[in-house]
Amino acid sequence: MAAATGRKLVIVESPAKAKKIGEFLGKDYDVDASVGHIRDLPTPSEMPADMKKGPYGKFAVDVNNGFDAYYVVDPDKKKKVSELKRLLKGADELLLATDEDREGEAIAWHLLEVLKPKVPVKRMVFHEITKEAIQRAAHETRDLDTRLVDAQETRRILDRLYGYEVSPVLWRKVRQGLSAGRVQSVATRMVVERERLRMAFRSASYWDVEGEFAPESAAGQAFTARLTGVDGRRVASGRDFKDDGTLKADNVVHLDEAAATAIAISVTAADVSVTSVAEKPYTRRPSAPFTTSTLQQEASRKLRMSSKNAMRVAQRLYENGYITYMRTDSTTLSESALTAARGQARDLYGAEYVPDAPRRYEKKVKNAQEAHEAIRPAGDRFRTPAQVAGELRGEEFALYELVWKRTVASQMADARGSTATVRLGATLSDGRTVEFSASGTVITFRGFLAAYEEGRDEETLARSAQEAEERRLPKLSEGVALDVLRAEADGHETSPPARYTEATLVKAMEEKGIGRPSTYAATVGTIQDRGYVRNRGSALIPTWLAFAVTRLLEEHFSTLVDYDFTASMEEDLDQIAGGQRERVEWLERFYFGDEAQSVEGLRHLVDDLGEIDAREISTIPIGDGMVVRVGRYGPYVEEVVPEGVDPATGEVTDGALVEGAGKPRRATITDDLAPDEMTPAKARELLEAAADDGRVLGQDPETGRDIIAKSGRYGPYVTEVLPEELAAKKGKAKVKPRTASLFKDMDLATIDLETALRLLSLPRVVGTDPESGDDITAQNGRYGPYLKKGTDSRSLQSEPQLFTITLEEALAIYAQPKQRGRAAAAALKELGEDPASGKPVVVKDGRFGPYVTDGETNATLRKDDDPDAITPARGFELLAEKRAKGPTTRKRTTRKTTKKTAKKTAKKATKKSST
């Protein structure tokens, strides 16, 4: 028996966390990291040969024997497991200090199964990495929670069964290589459904009148009011219209331009007076401290971070002891945190800004998971942003500041004020009565707004709400006569439902009970990585592929993408974690079904695939005899009913000539076209352009080859037709035809041979650098036109420069210091010399949005900053803030991909016993 050493081995997930915790625990502790999971369910190709034909061969799970799971140590982790075993030999006690959630508990269980320790094992848990918290956790340990392990392993097995049964259906019926997932497929459906609403939406126009009024002989107290009623009936606004453009009810007045203009003209000559004044108190309460979901939403709104990036930054802040654990759906603050937040609010803003009693927030989201604490600054005394400014940079500082502000503000007093609503009345010359109304809010005590204000998702609503809160009306009383300074008819169009952003999709998933804090960011990232959703700015747009996959799942696996069913599965997993349900019984019901309750299991759902019409599933009608089909090489539009034929009856209209009967016209759909933009008119436009697809422009006088213009998935282009003997060559001897994309200002229908040959001549040799002897070439690339000399590339401002730039101009560009990224783009606005650097400051449009720069320091504009209206003072302020924060440091990471192998796995694989 080994002699007692008095040493304790602590195992955490990440090296960064291990380093920090090691500093707090002292010399009697060895702290090491497992670097995440050490083992998982293998894929069929990774299974040992003798296991592939057995009950574990299909899923690595024996579905007929209590859903027993077969786990193997990842080949990349075998060395790490050996290191941990070596450290364990010299320890008298093992402390498993992985995160205190289901996944962390499962990692601890896997470590226990693989390491097989012969010394006492304890579970060490904490929500923040501070000296006090870590030392307290090392002495206040507990046992492994097998209920949390069961819940996590059930989730893992559930996801394996779902993915391995449903994904092959997509391969056979839609496209090879697609994937389905319990949460990702439902999230994809949410994005598709929103786009369907936009496609079905029909805009409606409506008009009203905006007037500017002032008390008689008091033009300095002018205010604006909007027409709200005519003859006692309310004037229709955007909320009164259905998505098909019709009115929801008949009890409103729908004004057109002529009617609104007539009222505006009449009002200017009418006697207007105040008919009522109402004033009521205004109170606004602070938002709760951050959960995972709300942190991702605010980071998206205020910092323009993706969900995945926000969680990556939050992970670093947690591991380095700046914030508490970042995967939580609890809004609770500990007593010490409440004291710290209230104390800082009192010190920074004054006693009147702190309520008498601490604010306690109850979570109202469906299916709240095991209670952790809310995300807040770490420690019993919070460090202010100023105190960490020397340690944190860039995104880390910005996110810490966001967490600190939200936490402190959550314990501050309400913002208070008053809201006044004024109604004005007038009788027009034709006898009609009209009513105008105006509202304004005056905040008399800012309360928590002094520290923090939550962002809003809809920019228009956010702007109007902010204007209302900052609007002050003059003191008025009933019967006061008013002068009409101005009255103008104002036209509006109803807007389709807004597309999801990452922030609003996470919010909607949380409200529906779909997914959990640890999965939100991964789910949003997955549906983008798999090609189901793409970004346009911050908006999430579904691809046509997502339409096809969603339709198949809705029609043949409706239960699996049902929102309530998916949420109920999360509830069931919660019950397994709480010990109220037994995992094997639940998995059997999910996979095999329950005849007594007429519940069909997953296995039976995938049995009969013959009735799934693959062509029909991948067809999306868009109206007027036009459909979009998802083909092997991408989406295309097809005219199934030729123009001139009634789609409903098939009758040919008088005088219509139907050509090419039986041969439908088709056209490729480019990736930049959103589904709601694919109208029948747009489809015809693409079909007309496709009629010219492959149009021969002429022959290249040098080679004699045909030059043709085509429309491809990535836009229009020109190419040459190779002779058959060259086109037939393959492998290393294969000859690629010259190809060039059209410039942005060129049209496929009008391009001629001369222009095509110029495009195909690129890259063009501009000349030779007299100093280096290197050729300078002008060429077009993925990110626009540029010059290239050796390995040195410089951006050009426009595509036509590729043909016109001279050697002298190119040398002048190379004589300038090289600018990073999009710095070579033309300035949107000049702001003058920066008082700090003395260099000219300009506004530019960058890859991640508009920014100001003096050539050395770049500062991104905030959401409220208008690039066209920004003042020099504001630009200088942003640069000063950026300099104060210092440069953003980015750690370079090297991704190591190791091919998994099944060699010798049988001996080292471990198997989980059925429970």
Side-chain angles (χ1 to χ4, degrees):
M1 186 175 181
T5 63
R7 302 196 65 76
K8 298 180 180 181
L9 174 61
V10 180
I11 302 178
V12 297
E13 296 103 316
S14 76
K17 193 193 296 187
K19 181 180 178 182
K20 196 74 178 178
I21 291 174
E23 296 172 1
F24 296 145
L25 289 178
K27 56 184 177 60
D28 294 332
Y29 291 81
D30 292 313
V31 185
D32 205 350
S34 66
V35 195
H37 288 273
I38 60 169
R39 66 177 190 170
D40 195 6
L41 299 173
T43 62
S45 63
E46 296 167 337
M47 295 283 286
D50 60 333
M51 298 290 291
K52 289 183 178 179
K53 296 181 180 179
Y56 297 93
K58 184 175 182 180
F59 306 114
V61 175
D62 185 352
V63 297
N64 296 309
N65 184 25
F67 291 86
D68 194 38
Y70 182 86
Y71 293 100
V72 298
V73 175
D74 192 307
D76 287 348
K77 296 296 178 67
K78 289 182 178 180
K79 182 178 179 181
K80 172 54 67 177
V81 169
S82 298
E83 291 175 4
L84 294 174
K85 285 183 175 179
R86 178 180 58 78
L87 289 170
L88 187 58
K89 287 180 179 178
D92 291 337
E93 188 173 83
L94 173 62
L95 297 177
L96 298 173
T98 50
D99 294 334
E100 193 187 11
D101 57 11
R102 295 174 189 172
E103 189 172 11
E105 208 74 15
I107 292 174
W109 177 80
H110 282 293
L111 286 166
L112 198 61
E113 291 286 299
V114 173
L115 297 179
K116 302 186 183 304
K118 298 179 180 179
V119 295
V121 179
K122 296 178 180 178
R123 185 79 170 92
M124 173 179 165
V125 294
F126 44 86
H127 303 308
E128 57 185 348
I129 302 177
T130 61
K131 186 174 183 178
E132 296 78 9
I134 296 302
Q135 291 181 348
R136 184 166 55 246
H139 293 95
E140 298 176 3
T141 56
R142 62 167 173 80
D143 293 332
L144 189 75
D145 190 334
T146 55
R147 297 175 306 175
L148 290 181
V149 175
D150 279 347
Q152 180 61 26
E153 295 311 292
T154 302
R155 181 191 297 272
R156 182 69 189 95
I157 293 169
L158 170 65
D159 290 342
R160 172 57 65 95
L161 297 175
Y162 190 120
Y164 274 40
E165 288 285 26
V166 180
S167 294
V169 179
L170 303 183
W171 303 345
R172 292 192 289 273
K173 299 299 182 179
V174 182
R175 185 186 297 173
Q176 191 69 26
L178 298 178
S179 72
R182 179 177 56 87
V183 178
Q184 78 172 55
S185 295
V186 176
T188 301
R189 181 191 174 197
M190 291 172 68
V191 181
V192 168
E193 282 194 335
R194 181 61 58 89
E195 195 72 11
R196 285 173 178 162
L197 292 176
R198 292 176 62 89
M199 293 170 73
F201 179 82
R202 295 296 177 265
S203 180
S205 65
Y206 61 97
W207 287 72
D208 58 16
V209 178
E210 182 183 80
E212 187 173 8
F213 306 90
E216 290 183 344
S217 305
Q221 297 183 43
F223 63 96
T224 58
R226 193 164 288 277
L227 178 69
T228 54
V230 177
D231 284 339
R233 296 171 66 196
R234 186 168 57 81
V235 173
S237 61
R239 69 176 183 271
D240 294 308
F241 292 89
K242 301 176 186 176
D243 284 347
D244 62 1
T246 60
L247 282 170
K248 296 177 181 176
D250 297 329
N251 60 347
V252 293
V253 179
H254 183 194
L255 298 179
D256 57 16
E257 183 178 6
T261 302
I263 291 174
I265 293 171
S266 296
V267 165
T268 58
D271 294 327
V272 180
S273 61
V274 178
T275 57
S276 71
V277 177
E279 190 168 330
K280 61 181 180 180
Y282 169 87
T283 302
R284 185 171 167 191
R285 294 176 173 79
S287 300
F290 280 133
T291 62
T292 301
S293 167
T294 54
L295 177 65
Q296 290 177 21
Q297 292 168 44
E298 279 292 84
S300 174
R301 297 184 194 112
K302 290 182 177 287
L303 306 179
R304 298 178 181 174
M305 285 186 185
S306 67
S307 298
K308 187 181 292 185
N309 192 35
M311 293 309 293
R312 189 182 297 121
V313 175
Q315 177 94 25
R316 292 199 298 267
L317 290 174
Y318 165 66
E319 291 177 347
N320 287 288
Y322 290 101
I323 64 172
T324 53
Y325 190 53
M326 66 289 157
R327 292 191 184 95
T328 175
D329 50 15
S330 172
T331 53
T332 303
L333 290 178
S334 66
E335 291 301 320
S336 62
L338 288 171
T339 301
R342 287 168 59 82
Q344 280 198 331
R346 188 180 297 108
D347 294 343
L348 291 171
Y349 302 103
E352 68 274 19
Y353 281 82
V354 182
D356 294 336
R359 289 184 181 272
R360 302 181 189 278
Y361 297 87
E362 294 183 5
K363 197 74 171 78
K364 295 181 180 178
V365 172
K366 192 176 180 181
N367 301 345
Q369 202 177 306
E370 54 270 7
H372 296 133
E373 198 176 350
I375 303 170
R376 61 167 175 84
D380 295 336
R381 290 182 61 83
F382 301 161
R383 287 175 286 179
T384 65
Q387 289 173 319
V388 301
E391 305 166 21
L392 298 177
R393 295 287 186 272
E395 292 177 328
E396 291 182 358
F397 177 85
L399 196 64
Y400 179 83
E401 185 179 42
L402 197 66
V403 171
W404 179 86
K405 285 182 176 180
R406 177 83 165 222
T407 307
V408 171
S410 74
Q411 292 305 310
M412 293 176 67
D414 296 342
R416 297 189 298 272
S418 61
T419 298
T421 301
V422 178
R423 298 190 185 281
L424 320 177
T427 301
L428 305 183
S429 57
D430 59 6
R432 288 185 297 170
T433 59
V434 294
E435 182 181 75
F436 286 76
S437 64
S439 295
T441 298
V442 177
I443 296 176
T444 55
F445 176 70
R446 288 184 59 75
F448 75 93
L449 293 176
Y452 178 83
E453 182 170 7
E454 186 176 34
R456 294 179 171 95
D457 291 312
E458 304 295 340
E459 289 187 14
T460 304
L461 293 176
R463 197 178 302 116
S464 60
Q466 187 173 9
E467 288 172 357
E469 285 180 5
E470 297 171 351
R471 187 179 184 191
R472 184 187 294 268
L473 295 176
K475 285 290 183 182
L476 297 169
S477 58
E478 191 172 330
V480 171
L482 301 172
D483 290 333
V484 183
L485 306 181
R486 172 181 60 85
E488 296 175 352
D490 195 5
H492 311 273
E493 295 281 333
T494 55
S495 300
R499 289 192 176 97
Y500 284 114
T501 63
E502 288 195 9
T504 55
L505 181 59
V506 167
K507 182 179 180 181
M509 289 172 62
E510 183 182 38
E511 289 172 349
K512 292 179 182 293
I514 296 167
R516 280 296 178 263
S518 59
T519 64
Y520 294 141
T523 299
V524 174
T526 297
I527 62 177
Q528 294 176 72
D529 295 341
R530 299 286 163 82
Y532 295 138
V533 173
R534 60 185 177 84
N535 292 79
R536 179 185 288 178
S538 62
L540 298 177
I541 301 176
T543 60
W544 291 109
L545 180 63
F547 274 75
V549 169
T550 299
R551 182 179 176 186
L552 185 151
L553 294 175
E554 287 175 333
E555 293 184 6
H556 299 277
F557 301 92
S558 57
T559 303
L560 298 183
V561 288
D562 179 78
Y563 299 138
D564 290 336
F565 175 76
T566 305
S568 71
M569 283 197 288
E570 296 290 358
E571 290 176 340
D572 292 343
L573 292 170
D574 290 343
Q575 291 179 350
I576 293 172
Q580 290 94 34
R581 298 201 68 160
E582 202 277 320
R583 76 176 191 89
V584 174
E585 176 189 342
W586 188 87
L587 282 169
E588 284 181 345
R589 188 170 187 269
F590 170 77
Y591 189 67
F592 293 111
D594 187 342
E595 290 186 9
Q597 298 187 25
S598 301
V599 176
E600 193 172 14
L602 176 64
R603 188 178 70 170
H604 301 294
L605 287 174
V606 299
D607 279 348
D608 188 9
L609 301 181
E611 61 186 48
I612 299 179
D613 185 335
R615 181 177 174 84
E616 181 62 23
I617 283 293
S618 296
T619 300
I620 303 99
I622 59 174
D624 291 357
M626 302 287 182
V627 299
V628 170
R629 299 195 195 278
V630 180
R632 182 179 178 184
Y633 300 107
Y636 60 92
V637 64
E638 180 175 297
E639 184 183 45
V640 291
V641 179
E643 191 171 6
V645 176
D646 188 322
T649 64
E651 295 180 0
V652 179
T653 57
D654 291 339
L657 179 63
V658 183
E659 298 178 356
K663 186 179 180 182
R665 296 192 296 166
R666 294 174 179 172
T668 300
I669 300 174
T670 56
D671 288 345
D672 61 344
L673 196 64
D676 74 329
E677 296 165 357
M678 180 52 71
T679 61
K682 184 64 179 179
R684 289 193 186 90
E685 181 184 323
L686 292 177
L687 291 171
E688 292 301 326
D692 288 335
D693 199 21
R695 177 169 60 96
V696 178
L697 304 178
Q699 289 73 42
D700 184 342
E702 294 185 6
T703 64
R705 297 171 185 170
D706 283 346
I707 305 299
I708 60 175
K710 294 180 69 68
S711 178
R713 184 178 179 186
Y714 301 106
Y717 65 97
V718 291
T719 187
E720 63 180 349
V721 179
L722 296 176
E724 290 185 7
E725 61 273 14
L726 288 179
K729 292 185 177 181
K730 297 181 179 180
K732 293 183 178 180
K734 184 177 180 179
V735 179
K736 291 185 177 180
R738 291 179 298 156
T739 301
S741 296
L742 270 61
F743 288 174
K744 292 178 181 178
D745 60 351
M746 293 179 180
D747 187 353
L748 184 67
T750 58
I751 190 166
D752 55 23
L753 177 62
E754 181 182 358
T755 305
L757 291 174
R758 293 184 76 195
L759 290 172
L760 292 173
S761 70
L762 297 173
R764 177 177 73 91
V765 177
V766 178
T768 303
D769 185 342
E771 292 186 7
S772 66
D774 292 330
D775 283 343
I776 299 175
T777 58
Q779 41 196 304
N780 218 356
R782 182 180 178 185
Y783 300 108
Y786 65 99
L787 294 173
K788 188 173 180 65
K789 181 181 70 172
T791 58
D792 191 355
S793 300
R794 303 295 176 93
S795 296
L796 295 174
Q797 292 187 2
S798 66
E799 289 175 317
Q801 280 185 286
L802 293 168
F803 298 130
T804 61
I805 192 167
T806 64
L807 177 60
E808 183 180 2
E809 292 170 336
L811 292 173
I813 291 174
Y814 275 103
Q816 299 295 320
K818 188 168 184 177
Q819 296 175 304
R820 294 170 55 192
R822 293 280 302 274
L828 301 177
K829 187 175 183 180
E830 296 180 358
L831 301 180
E833 286 191 2
D834 182 73
S837 67
K839 296 186 176 181
V841 177
V842 296
V843 182
K844 292 191 174 184
D845 188 17
R847 184 178 178 187
F848 302 106
Y851 64 99
V852 290
T853 179
D854 64 352
E856 291 183 350
T857 304
N858 297 342
T860 303
L861 269 59
R862 306 292 190 266
K863 283 195 173 182
D864 294 335
D865 294 322
D866 184 344
D868 296 323
I870 188 170
T871 63
R874 176 59 176 159
F876 303 153
E877 178 188 355
L878 290 172
L879 289 174
E881 288 178 2
K882 185 63 183 287
R883 292 190 194 99
K885 290 182 180 180
T888 302
T889 56
R890 292 185 176 88
K891 294 182 179 179
R892 294 185 177 274
T893 57
T894 303
R895 292 187 179 180
K896 181 180 179 183
T897 304
T898 305
K899 186 176 181 181
K900 294 185 178 180
T901 176
K903 291 182 179 179
K904 301 181 181 179
T905 311
K907 295 181 180 179
K908 297 189 179 182
T910 54
K911 186 172 69 171
K912 178 180 176 181
S913 303
S914 61
T915 59

